[in-house]
């Protein structure tokens, strides 16, 4: 499960720290106490920044770092597609073998494929992504975000 | 050998049940006709139980080690099996309990502690029937005592059916919950669910169905049933002891308060307050009966591999045969419906004025296991003015030859005390 | 091989536990150090379970047939074994539940519905401690919420022990019940029962002891303990899942009201009212976990044949060795007592700022099963300002070599995330 | 379990029917619904009559008949010894093989030895005997009877 890529992101997280944003959320994984505070900043529908702070296991920390790397600079629609693809991968119970198309979308995030085999850890990997979805809904008005990601 | 249409291949099936080979009282072949009390357990279930303990045993949820992941997958997999077996809209509607009694108490307690609109209090009414198992009477009596609610019930007709003639007076606008048995364990009666549910829905009352004697014997579809809660118990359906089920509609389980508190059922705990996990976990405090749930899953696999419709047909054929044969026994009076229509495979009877204890004992000496007493449904005995009954009850492995043995045995009982 | 004084002959004992031969992750030998979550089950218990289902399975009580008599004798025989194991003055003080959580909820609910002098209401206080398992917190929070009683608790010292310095303010004349853990499942602490009970008796409060982590590991004598209720759970003491025990003093069990209603717990039922059977049956509604109680009886036979004092000595030796070896691991901080004195064989720790989930996962990859998280004792994590811990816990079959494997494994974890 | 003697008593009960008495009790066996109404009449400490009516299984009915046969005409002390011996036999779980001494005391009642192997039936056999003890306590003042049979 601990791919080199994951460990790299864990040890050298991208974009960590809280910066100015349009909305802030705080998510907790009650079963293990992992926490994240996450802010999003939009420029229209373009993601200007995702900043975050939190504590938790390597999976949840690396996942937030990957999220930052992948989503910052993207248009909302693309970001949502990435989020959905990542969700699908994580809920696959190890049954999805990422193909080229998926790799193209997810880049570093495909390294989490192995985590999907461990139900107890899937929530860790998803923590920041769920926080982002929630923050985005708040920042842009829930309708816009909900309709597309439901 | 008596051949009846619709029978299962019991010769093959009986090989799955080691206990059916037992001999009792120095060489009497066991004739097990006490299936309404508990069913026997097939080797397929026992193997799964052993394998669980020998290979995968661990506490469920939250573990990151292999055994914990495996045990969790098996336990939650059993929930999936139950959900499919009863056609539940969601697996999250399946709560594991220790038996049907706990399931029914859970419903009563949820409603006692609920907020409006579900709350049972001194201005509201609870409706049950006179043919309930004590496990569907006492929880409601306790709830009524403790909340001041009024307990009402449907009476019985002389031929062992619910008397619904006063349904509009029994179920009223004050009724919060109607709880009744789908198949009576003492009378064998199959109750007219639709009529009762329609009236309950009219007044906005919740409906709880005690399916303890239905789930083992016939296809059970909670969606077509249209109840709000359905309870049943593992040990009567080829599963282990120590496991029961409560199915409840998701939005109710979300709204209703927890009952037992503890590990597994929480979201987050501090000394000052706690929040609860979503259903079903909210209602599963403490280490659940893990192996037993897994065993129940295996029992469901076993039953499904035979087919619940085939089991129903088998038991129906046996019941038809049994009521016919029992009618030949002088002085025998069936307590409950005297035909196989709308009845299950538990048949209660009296035999002249020979006390059921004596009937049961002398049958036992011949290897025939029946149950005697009030079968945890004493109000039925009171209703029919009898101290107790003898009850023979069949299951998928029961045979016409066993019914013949029962009839011969009863003849012997009559001679013995004649 | 490390030789420590007082160790059991684990080489022989381990042969009784089939699962200990398991290999995980393609050939890693299983090192099972999650015994505080659940213990493994010896063949002797599995054999008794199989024999129960293959030879004697029937519903208990009131049956007059052979199987019912046998099943009843086995079930009630298990009660005798439990009574002897805890030196209960009477077998009728032993109530079978599904787990320790149900046992604790049973106490809370009995007191909530009791008459004076036991009744917990808005003028009274409940006392617990900050190191309780959620199963001994949430039932009391629910009781407090539902009755208006005030919930108070003892805090913890920095070295993981109860802070009893304010005992006279915490336990007062208003206290109706003091419920606390004998051995903490997260800290390992063994609590000073006598001090607490003496103060509780002074003010006339009842005392409930959560012995879930004690009964499996040391001699337990409810008479010398002097508590009023003692709860524990089968699956942590070589027994099956789905079975727990509540011991309670006879006169209390006679006076206190029932909790769950249903079959088996009644004396006589009519639609209008019911009377209840004497304890223990009053508190055992529905078909009990029969096979599981019988299995617990077999587990008790197994433990007794080894000797609880010998098991205690074995675990004490292991614990001494473990705290010594763990002290060698850089950045490792034990949460709880750091010596083997007055502590059980569950050791929680943190490892630098490597998250316990990562510790557990990387240990698992080496075949080492530990538990990570808040161990259903979240207030302890809050108290010590940590999100979670890694916990290794030992049992009668644990060996010094397994502790060595753990220490090596932790070294690997540190390198991996270093 | 069904000795000829038991069946005889069941079919032809001794002293059945309610007659005049000093005290009356009604006992029920809740698990099976067996019932007995029993009256005792004393002449000093001598048992002048035990009359009863009830419904129940052959064991409980026969046992009441045997009780009547054994106790009527006896002195209280002797009757209590018989009752205690019968209780001992019934609680023996089939482990007591009645010897001559016991047979001398219990007469026909030794036929119930076989019943003691069946826990579910022991209560049936004891129903009338417990009722008698209770009625006697009432008739003679509970102290006198309790002290001797406790
Ligand atoms: C101290 C303590 N109390 C109570 C419990 C609850 O036991 P169970 O989950 O079997 O109900 C546990 C174990 O989980 C425990 O360690
Ligand atoms: C109709 C009915 N309801 C409820 C129950 C209670 O089931 P359990 O004893 O498993 O709780 C039974 C069986 O005893 C039953 O037959």
């Amino acid at each position: 499960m601990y791919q080199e890529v994951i460990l790299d992101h864990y040890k050298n997280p991208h974009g960590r720290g809280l910066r100015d944003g349009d909305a802030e959320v705080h998510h907790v994984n009650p079963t293990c106490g992992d926490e994240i505070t996450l802010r999003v900043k939009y420029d229209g529908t373009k993601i200007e920044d995702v900043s975050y702070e939190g504590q938790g296991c390597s999976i949840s920390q690396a996942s937030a770092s990957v999220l930052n790397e992948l989503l910052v600079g993207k248009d909302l629609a693309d970001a949502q597609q990435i989020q959905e693809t990542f969700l699908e991968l994580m809920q696959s119970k190890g049954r999805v073998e990422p193909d080229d198309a998926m790799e193209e979308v997810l880049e570093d995030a495909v390294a989490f494929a192995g985590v999907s085999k461990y139900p107890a850890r899937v929530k860790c990997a998803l923590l920041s992504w769920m926080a982002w979805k929630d923050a985005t809904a708040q920042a842009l008005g829930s309708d816009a975000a909900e309709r597309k990601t439901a | 050998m008596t051949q009846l249409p619709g029978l299962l291949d019991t010769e093959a099936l009986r090989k799955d049940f080691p206990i059916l080979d037992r001999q009792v009282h120095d060489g009497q072949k066991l004739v097990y006709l006490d299936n309404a009390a508990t069913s026997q357990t097939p080797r397929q279930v026992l193997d799964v139980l052993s394998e669980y303990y020998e290979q995968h045993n661990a506490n469920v949820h939250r573990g990151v080690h292999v055994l914990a992941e495996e045990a969790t997958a098996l336990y939650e997999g059993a929930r999936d099996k139950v959900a499919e077996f009863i056609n539940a809209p969601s697996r999250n509607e399946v709560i594991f309990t220790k038996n049907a009694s706990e399931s029914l108490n859970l419903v009563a307690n949820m409603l006692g502690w609920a907020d409006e609109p579900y709350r049972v209090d001194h201005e509201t009414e609870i409706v049950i029937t006179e043919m309930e198992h004590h496990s569907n009477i006492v929880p409601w009596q306790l709830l009524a005592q403790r909340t001041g609610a009024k307990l009402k019930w449907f009476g019985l007709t002389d031929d062992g059916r619910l008397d619904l003639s006063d349904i509009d007076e029994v179920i009223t606008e004050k009724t919060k919950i109607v709880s009744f048995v789908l198949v009576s364990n003492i009378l064998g009666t199959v109750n007219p669910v639709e009529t009762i549910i329609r009236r309950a829905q009219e007044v906005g009352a919740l409906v709880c169905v005690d399916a303890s004697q239905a789930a083992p014997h016939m296809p059970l579809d909670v969606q077509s049933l249209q109840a709000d809660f359905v309870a049943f118990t593992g040990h009567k359906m080829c599963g282990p002891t120590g496991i029961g089920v409560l199915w409840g509609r998701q939005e109710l389980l979300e709204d209703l308060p927890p009952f037992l508190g503890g590990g597994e059922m929480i979201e987050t705990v501090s000394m000052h307050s706690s929040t609860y996990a979503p259903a079903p976990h909210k209602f599963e405090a403490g280490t659940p009966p893990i192996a037993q749930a897994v065993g129940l899953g295996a029992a469901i696999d076993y039953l499904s591999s035979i087919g619940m419709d085939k089991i129903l047909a088998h038991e129906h054929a046996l019941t038809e045969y049994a009521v016919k044969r029992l009618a030949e026994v002088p002085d025998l009076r069936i307590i409950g419906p005297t035909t196989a229509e709308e009845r299950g495979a538990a048949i209660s009877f009296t035999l002249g004025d020979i006390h059921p204890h004596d009937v049961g004992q002398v049958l036992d000496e011949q290897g025939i296991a029946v149950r005697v007493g009030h079968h945890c449904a004493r109000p039925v005995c009171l209703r029919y003015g009898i101290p107790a009954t003898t009850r023979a009850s069949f299951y998928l492995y029961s045979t016409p030859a066993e019914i013949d043995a029962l009839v011969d045995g009863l003849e012997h009982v009559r001679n013995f005390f004649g």
Side-chain angles (χ1 to χ4, degrees), chain A, chain B:
Chain A
M1 117 155 29
Y2 294 107
Q3 301 289 314
E4 206 56 54
V5 180
I6 294 180
L7 287 175
D8 279 352
H9 275 278
Y10 172 53
K11 291 174 190 166
N12 305 299
H14 283 250
R16 196 184 166 98
L18 284 176
R19 295 171 295 275
D20 195 29
D22 305 326
E24 174 182 310
V25 296
H26 180 75
H27 276 211
V28 176
N29 178 346
T31 62
C32 61
D34 282 8
E35 294 187 24
I36 194 161
T37 305
L38 183 144
R39 291 186 190 155
V40 289
K41 190 162 174 55
Y42 279 87
D43 173 11
T45 63
K46 198 179 156 90
I47 302 174
E48 207 181 299
D49 193 15
V50 181
S51 64
Y52 63 94
E53 214 155 57
Q55 63 171 17
C57 65
S58 59
I59 301 298
S60 72
Q61 299 301 297
S63 168
S65 165
V66 168
L67 179 145
N68 172 285
E69 191 179 61
L70 270 176
L71 300 194
V72 172
K74 292 274 191 326
D75 199 72
L76 177 61
D78 293 341
Q80 283 175 333
Q81 198 214 326
I82 295 171
Q83 194 265 353
E84 279 163 41
T85 311
F86 187 67
L87 189 64
E88 183 196 329
L89 178 64
M90 294 318 296
Q91 292 175 340
S92 72
K93 303 189 174 167
R95 275 186 234 112
V96 167
E97 190 62 58
D99 57 9
D100 286 356
M102 193 178 252
E103 228 163 299
E104 186 128 329
V105 177
L106 291 184
E107 301 179 29
D108 274 6
V110 293
F112 288 84
V115 176
S116 74
K117 271 179 275 183
Y118 298 84
R121 307 303 297 278
V122 168
K123 278 190 189 160
C124 309
L126 288 175
L127 184 66
S128 53
W129 293 81
M130 291 306 178
W132 171 77
K133 193 178 148 181
D134 192 9
T136 297
Q138 285 185 26
L140 302 183
S142 54
D143 280 4
E146 280 302 313
R147 207 175 313 122
K148 302 210 73 170
T149 58
Chain B
M1 273 273 246
T2 313
Q3 289 297 343
L4 306 173
L7 287 192
L8 292 166
D9 180 0
T10 48
E11 210 174 314
L13 288 175
R14 291 174 74 89
K15 297 210 175 80
D16 296 334
F17 295 82
I19 205 171
L20 297 181
D21 284 336
R22 243 206 85 170
Q23 304 209 326
V24 294
H25 294 306
D26 307 319
Q28 298 283 354
K29 205 168 158 309
L30 174 66
V31 175
Y32 185 74
L33 301 180
D34 193 17
N35 292 287
T38 206
S39 61
Q40 296 303 339
T41 326
R43 200 175 289 286
Q44 287 84 341
V45 171
L46 300 181
D47 287 349
V48 165
L49 284 177
S50 298
E51 195 189 310
Y52 172 80
Y53 286 116
E54 290 176 8
Q55 296 288 328
H56 313 293
N57 183 46
N59 212 326
V60 292
H61 304 306
R62 276 195 290 280
V64 296
H65 60 76
V66 174
L67 297 185
E69 300 264 13
E70 289 176 355
T72 305
L74 286 167
Y75 178 68
E76 293 301 331
R79 201 189 303 280
D80 292 327
K81 289 178 187 186
V82 172
E84 196 189 323
F85 186 69
I86 60 174
N87 194 28
S90 159
R91 67 184 305 281
N92 294 330
E93 300 179 334
V94 174
I95 299 165
F96 284 122
T97 60
K98 69 174 170 178
N99 54 26
S101 304
E102 187 190 346
S103 301
L104 294 164
N105 278 277
L106 172 51
V107 178
N109 278 276
M110 287 192 295
L111 300 181
W113 294 118
D115 291 327
E116 288 301 345
Y118 306 115
R119 188 179 185 84
V120 168
D121 60 24
H122 65 283
E123 289 175 350
T124 62
E125 296 177 352
I126 301 163
V127 172
I128 60 175
T129 87
E130 203 175 359
M131 68 164 79
E132 297 311 311
H133 188 280
H134 293 163
S135 293
N136 200 27
I137 299 177
V138 184
W140 303 110
Q141 287 181 336
L142 286 170
L143 182 65
Q145 272 167 34
R146 290 170 178 179
T147 60
K150 183 167 172 193
L151 183 65
K152 296 163 80 177
W153 55 86
F154 289 108
L156 306 181
T157 64
D158 287 343
D159 55 346
R161 304 215 174 258
L162 283 183
D163 176 2
L164 297 178
S165 59
D166 54 354
I167 189 166
D168 289 349
E169 287 92 74
V170 174
I171 302 179
T172 70
E173 297 290 332
K174 288 190 173 172
T175 309
K176 281 287 173 117
I177 174 81
V178 181
S179 188
F180 66 96
V181 71
L182 188 45
V183 181
S184 159
N185 68 307
I186 179 168
L187 298 167
T189 319
V190 176
N191 283 320
V193 178
E194 246 184 83
T195 318
I196 302 174
I197 293 197
R198 202 178 322 116
R199 174 63 187 158
Q201 286 176 345
E202 239 170 62
V203 301
L206 295 177
V207 174
C208 174
V209 169
D210 175 1
S212 302
Q213 297 289 347
H217 302 290
M218 56 183 65
L220 183 63
D221 179 331
V222 297
Q223 297 193 50
S224 72
L225 200 62
Q226 295 213 15
D228 298 292
F229 302 101
V230 176
F232 52 98
T233 197
H235 67 91
K236 294 188 203 283
M237 49 193 291
C238 293
T241 58
I243 185 76
V245 171
L246 179 69
W247 170 84
R249 277 201 296 115
Q250 181 131 25
E251 57 275 32
L252 291 174
L253 298 184
E254 273 163 22
D255 287 355
L256 290 168
F259 172 37
L260 304 180
E264 310 286 348
M265 57 72 77
I266 55 96
E267 187 182 63
T268 172
V269 171
S270 77
M271 293 308 287
H272 293 277
S273 68
S274 301
T275 59
Y276 308 117
H281 303 291
K282 178 163 66 167
F283 302 104
E284 295 182 355
T287 305
I290 307 169
Q292 293 72 41
V294 174
L296 177 59
I300 283 176
D301 285 343
Y302 183 78
L303 294 175
S304 302
S305 75
I306 299 171
M308 291 311 295
D309 46 349
K310 298 229 172 75
I311 292 172
L312 177 63
H314 172 80
E315 294 185 21
H316 188 73
L318 283 181
T319 304
E320 258 185 342
Y321 182 66
V323 292
K324 197 187 81 193
R325 291 294 329 266
L326 290 173
E328 296 164 15
V329 180
D331 301 331
L332 187 146
R333 172 184 161 213
I334 289 181
I335 308 296
T338 52
T339 71
E341 301 328 304
E342 298 296 308
R343 75 148 25 257
I347 308 184
S348 276
F349 54 85
T350 57
L351 188 64
D353 54 9
I354 307 174
H355 193 280
H357 262 189
D358 291 320
V359 176
Q361 197 87 52
V362 174
L363 287 177
D364 175 60
E365 285 170 4
Q366 303 165 71
I368 303 166
V370 295
R371 186 131 306 219
V372 299
H374 51 48
H375 314 289
C376 295
R378 187 165 171 273
V380 170
C381 293
L382 293 178
R383 162 67 177 82
Y384 294 108
I386 48 177
T389 78
T390 302
R391 181 185 70 189
S393 54
F394 315 120
Y395 205 16
L396 56 92
Y397 38 69
S398 304
T399 67
E402 291 182 312
I403 292 170
D404 294 336
L406 171 66
V407 170
D408 294 346
L410 290 171
E411 216 34 60
H412 178 69
V413 171
R414 290 186 63 247
N415 294 335
F416 193 80
F417 292 103

